[in-house]
Amino acid sequence: MADNLELQGRHGKSRVRVARVWRRPAAAGGDVIAEWNVAVSVVSDCLPSYTSSDNSAIVATDSIKNTVYVKAKECTEVVSMEEFAVILGRHFTSLYPQVSEATVTIVERPWERVAVDGKPHSHGFKVGVEKHSTEVIVKKSGSLLIKSGIQGYSLLKTTQSGFEGFVRDRYTLLPDTRERIVATEVTAWWRYPFEHVSQLPSKPFCFTQRYQDVKKVLSDTFFGPADVGVYSPSVQNTLYLMGKEVLTRFPDISSIQLRMPNLHFLPVNLGSKENPLVKFADDVFLPTDEPHGTIEATLSRPMSKL
Ligand SMILES: O=c1[nH]c(=O)c2[nH]c(=O)[nH]c2[nH]1
């Protein structure tokens, strides 16, 4: 309380870029690299720095940035992003009495090991497309919230998609269809059920593995079997089935939030009655991303929240 006003502040450093290499012989799988874009934000009791010129309680954002590099150096064994975020969160909340909470957000640059002549390369990587992220909140008490996510996961089917039976009134122009392209760029966030640092799994890499698992379940459900696919009556239904499958398969995920824009591929019809230049026959489309439909939902088990 200051000047009869409530103040809720937080500070930290964003866009801290760090790359960590773990050296391993080729026989042990080769070098491992992680490139992370880290944001740390702490809730800290430093009211006088806002209300007067007393900075004595401030952990400088420059020191917060430096800590990211120190902790990366200290991780002599390969760690997942989620584990690294927990390490940072625990550090800030345990070292500084005035810091009650730390939020650590990390987005990974998706370096993927290349293969040369079919053999995984010991130290060569190329960048992939979709991105893995995490957001971890650690409180001084040890209470914890861990979310992981995927962004920019672009998926498309050339058929086995339709949309019909929707509201038809004077504003409706869209015809019913059982044949269209469906394309989206999935953003997903899922929450793990660990609510205290003491509940964290000791098995290394489980978060990284789970990310790969979730990614596969999302795409397998979107596409259906390789030869025949699966019919999608709407993006809404496909989104629901994707989220449901993740919760069914992984008891250690308590909720999932999915955002799936409907990126329209418009039928191309060009010309006039006299000169029908291009007549659409499910073959030539105008790909668009603006405007796009926005379809999103959160699925949770009863009693859990995202
Ligand atoms: O799968 C869809 N869901 C919608 O809500 C919608 N709305 C629309 O115009 N096309 C579609 N497609």
Side-chain angles (χ1 to χ4, degrees), residues 162-163 166 174 180 182 232-236 262 264 295:
F163 186 60
F166 48 90
L174 190 71
R180 66 174 184 175
V182 63
S232 163
S234 64
V235 173
Q236 282 87 338
N262 189 6
H264 306 296
I295 320 286

Side-chain angles (χ1 to χ4, degrees), residues 95-114:
L95 182 62
Y96 301 108
Q98 66 274 39
V99 172
S100 55
E101 184 181 311
T103 300
V104 182
T105 310
I106 306 180
V107 182
E108 183 163 66
R109 187 129 198 263
W111 291 110
E112 294 167 358
R113 190 177 300 282
V114 293

Side-chain angles (χ1 to χ4, degrees), residues 72-246:
K73 177 95 182 166
E74 287 174 5
C75 285
T76 50
E77 301 289 327
V78 181
V79 284
S80 67
M81 282 197 312
E82 289 85 352
E83 289 167 307
F84 188 65
V86 171
I87 288 170
L88 285 172
R90 292 186 76 172
H91 169 86
F92 291 112
T93 50
S94 58
L95 182 62
Y96 301 108
Q98 66 274 39
V99 172
S100 55
E101 184 181 311
T103 300
V104 182
T105 310
I106 306 180
V107 182
E108 183 163 66
R109 187 129 198 263
W111 291 110
E112 294 167 358
R113 190 177 300 282
V114 293
V116 173
D117 295 332
K119 262 180 71 179
H121 201 279
S122 64
H123 57 270
F125 298 82
K126 68 178 168 56
V127 83
V129 181
E130 61 274 1
K131 286 192 174 142
H132 180 184
S133 309
T134 188
E135 185 190 296
V136 169
I137 303 175
V138 183
K139 296 206 170 130
K140 208 182 248 334
S141 61
S143 106
L144 192 63
L145 192 150
I146 305 185
K147 286 189 212 168
S148 290
I150 185 167
Q151 288 84 41
Y153 195 24
S154 294
L155 308 175
L156 175 151
K157 300 199 297 180
T158 53
T159 187
Q160 287 283 51
S161 160
F163 186 60
E164 53 191 339
F166 48 90
V167 173
R168 197 155 283 289
D169 59 17
R170 64 186 291 261
Y171 301 100
T172 313
L173 293 172
L174 190 71
D176 280 0
T177 183
R178 290 188 63 81
E179 180 60 66
R180 66 174 184 175
I181 287 179
V182 63
T184 188
E185 190 181 303
V186 179
T187 300
W189 281 101
W190 54 95
R191 184 178 166 170
Y192 291 99
F194 318 116
E195 292 188 338
H196 194 270
V197 289
S198 60
Q199 297 170 355
L200 279 171
S202 53
K203 197 164 150 269
F205 316 127
C206 63
F207 292 107
T208 310
Q209 182 59 48
R210 192 50 88 237
Y211 167 74
Q212 298 296 347
D213 297 341
V214 169
K215 195 163 117 170
K216 178 167 172 13
V217 166
L218 290 174
S219 87
D220 287 359
T221 312
F222 179 85
F223 292 119
D227 43 359
V228 291
V230 62
Y231 182 72
S232 163
S234 64
V235 173
Q236 282 87 338
N237 180 248
T238 298
L239 178 153
Y240 172 73
L241 295 176
M242 290 162 74
K244 185 174 121 178
E245 194 61 18
V246 168

Side-chain angles (χ1 to χ4, degrees), residues 41-52:
S41 171
V42 297
V43 177
S44 173
D45 184 1
C46 52
L47 186 63
S49 67
Y50 289 92
T51 57
S52 69

